[in-house]
């Protein structure tokens, strides 16, 4: 119930204005968001690299409505990739991209062209791009774009969401050599017709998808903070005799930091997803929807001075 309310608020411009102008919002946001510009992204990437973590950077923004915004997003990624290469933080750092930030909702070809330009920049910087997955109305379009990009840039990564009923089939299709697949539970409010609704069903689907990916020849990226799923991931790695460089765990910046470092100490490759930028509202609201304790933290900050 609370999750539905927060996810509905995530799409409300009125609530967005209220939250953005609240006194301490920004302080709470800092727990989950690296900062507003490229230099913040660079600073946090360096800190995480020093702690033995790999990184994927997300320039925050979604639901772009003008070609100018889409162009600006592409240019920010190009700038970021050049700066990361210059600082010798690639290939340890890569980027995650939302096609909606590149104009997918109003011009799919434009979004493809921008995504391709970002792949060119990533390739020049010696690193990779992973396409984030948004709500289910965009899944086909995103996977089609992925297929086209992979013809030229085979290491381009996909995200699959275990809560979607279709995802086991998508996992089978993408569990092929050289294919990088980030498996997450899914963060959007989706109808029963397309997505499992109960946490148990989502967890069971995650394990079925993980089995497909971990037993296949591709490169699985297990994106979850769920202790049971992490333990099952460790188990499957042993069962399918996967070497430490043939899969990775991924978690969000600011979530379960101690666990991220524990997994590094165990010899696993762990990648932290680091968002940065000024458009933090939609991202933050999805994080709040995932965990009631975060809502309490946020409300305390909003109401105190
Ligand atoms: P779950 O939400 O069940 O949480 C399990 C436990 O983890 C909690 O009990 C708590 O201890 C901890 N935890 C989880 N979330 C927390 C939070 N926000 N704050 C503090 N503790 C928390 N989704 C999507 O739809 N499209 C995408 O492209 C991506 N991309 C993506 C990349 C990466 C690297 C990650 C880790 C996640 C995503 N997601 C995503 C988000 C994903 O779908 C999902 O919403 C979150 O990861 C939360 O699900 P968990 O698997 O962590 O389990």
């Amino acid at each position: 119930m609370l999750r539905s309310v927060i996810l509905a608020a995530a799409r409300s411009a009125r609530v967005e204005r209220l939250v953005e102008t609240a006194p301490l919002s920004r302080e709470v946001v800092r727990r989950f968001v690296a900062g507003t510009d490229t230099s913040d992204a660079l600073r946090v990437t360096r800190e995480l690299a020093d702690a033995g973590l790999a990184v994927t950077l997300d320039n925050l923004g979604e639901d772009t409505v003008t070609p100018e915004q889409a162009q600006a997003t592409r240019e920010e990624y190009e700038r970021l990739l050049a700066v990361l290469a210059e600082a010798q933080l690639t290939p340890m750092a890569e980027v995650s991209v939302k096609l909606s930030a590149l104009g997918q909702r109003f011009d799919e070809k434009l979004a493809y062209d921008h995504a391709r330009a970002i792949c060119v920049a990533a390739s020049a910087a010696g690193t990779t791009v992973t396409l984030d997955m948004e709500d289910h109305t965009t899944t086909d379009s995103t996977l089609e774009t992925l297929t086209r990009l992979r013809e030229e840039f085979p290491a381009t990564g996909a995200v699959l969401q275990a809560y979607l009923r279709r995802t086991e089939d998508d996992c089978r299709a993408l569990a092929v050599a050289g294919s990088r697949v980030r498996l997450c539970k899914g963060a959007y409010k989706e109808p029963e017709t397309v997505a499992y609704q109960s946490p148990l069903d989502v967890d069971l689907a995650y394990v079925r998808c993980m089995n497909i990916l971990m037993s296949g020849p591709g490169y699985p990226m297990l994106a979850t903070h769920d202790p049971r799923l992490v333990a099952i991931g460790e188990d499957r790695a042993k069962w399918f005799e996967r070497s430490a460089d043939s899969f990775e765990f991924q978690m969000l910046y600011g979530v379960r930091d101690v666990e991220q470092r524990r997994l590094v100490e165990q010899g696993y490759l762990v990648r932290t997803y680091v968002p940065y930028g000024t458009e933090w509202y939609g991202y933050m609201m999805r994080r709040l929807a995932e965990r009631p304790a975060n809502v309490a933290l946020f409300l305390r900050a909003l109401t105190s001075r």
Side-chain angles (χ1 to χ4, degrees), residues 276-291:
Y276 75 99
T278 50
E279 308 261 320
W280 47 263
Y281 179 74
Y283 178 85
M284 267 303 292
M285 294 305 267
R286 286 195 295 281
R287 301 295 78 82
L288 296 182
E290 282 156 9
R291 196 168 181 247

Side-chain angles (χ1 to χ4, degrees), residues 64-251:
T64 286
V65 289
T66 67
E68 291 73 25
Q69 282 174 298
Q71 178 70 28
T73 302
R74 162 188 169 163
E75 285 169 12
E76 172 54 26
Y77 273 106
E78 289 172 333
R79 193 163 40 247
L80 173 69
L81 284 158
V83 167
L84 289 171
E86 166 87 31
Q88 298 184 336
L89 287 167
T90 54
M92 181 284 290
E94 64 134 37
V95 295
S96 287
V97 174
K98 283 189 176 48
L99 289 178
S100 72
L102 299 177
Q104 183 186 40
R105 288 193 194 276
F106 61 88
D107 187 343
E108 286 185 17
K109 177 169 182 317
L110 180 79
Y112 168 78
D113 289 343
H114 286 327
R116 185 182 173 281
I118 294 170
C119 288
V120 170
S123 177
T127 192
T128 47
V129 175
T130 298
L131 298 184
D132 282 338
M133 192 59 87
E134 302 177 66
D135 72 70
H136 79 278
T137 61
T138 63
T139 309
D140 281 329
S141 160
T142 301
L143 291 179
E144 278 157 27
T145 301
L146 175 86
T147 305
R148 282 184 72 192
L149 291 172
R150 289 197 67 220
E151 285 165 12
E152 258 186 290
F153 308 97
T156 308
V159 175
L160 294 178
Q161 298 152 316
Y163 66 9
L164 292 186
R165 297 177 192 276
R166 61 177 283 167
T167 294
E168 270 180 80
D169 287 340
D170 290 332
C171 283
R172 271 184 213 101
L174 287 176
V176 294
S179 166
R180 296 168 61 248
V181 179
R182 174 182 295 158
L183 179 65
C184 65
K185 286 190 186 179
Y188 296 80
K189 179 166 166 44
E190 299 287 16
E192 212 260 327
T193 45
V194 299
Y196 300 110
Q197 303 291 308
S198 82
L200 177 62
D201 285 341
V202 177
D203 290 357
L204 291 172
Y206 193 105
V207 175
R208 290 195 298 274
C209 292
M210 177 162 40
N211 288 341
I212 295 167
L213 297 174
M214 292 292 274
S215 61
Y219 185 86
M221 305 184 278
L222 304 178
T224 181
H225 316 95
D226 189 324
R228 280 188 309 171
L229 294 179
V230 170
I232 294 172
E234 292 184 84
D235 176 72
R236 296 304 186 267
K238 289 193 192 89
W239 181 260
F240 295 115
E241 297 179 341
R242 297 202 73 109
S243 59
D245 61 357
S246 73
F247 75 103
E248 62 189 54
F249 288 106
Q250 299 190 340
M251 295 191 192

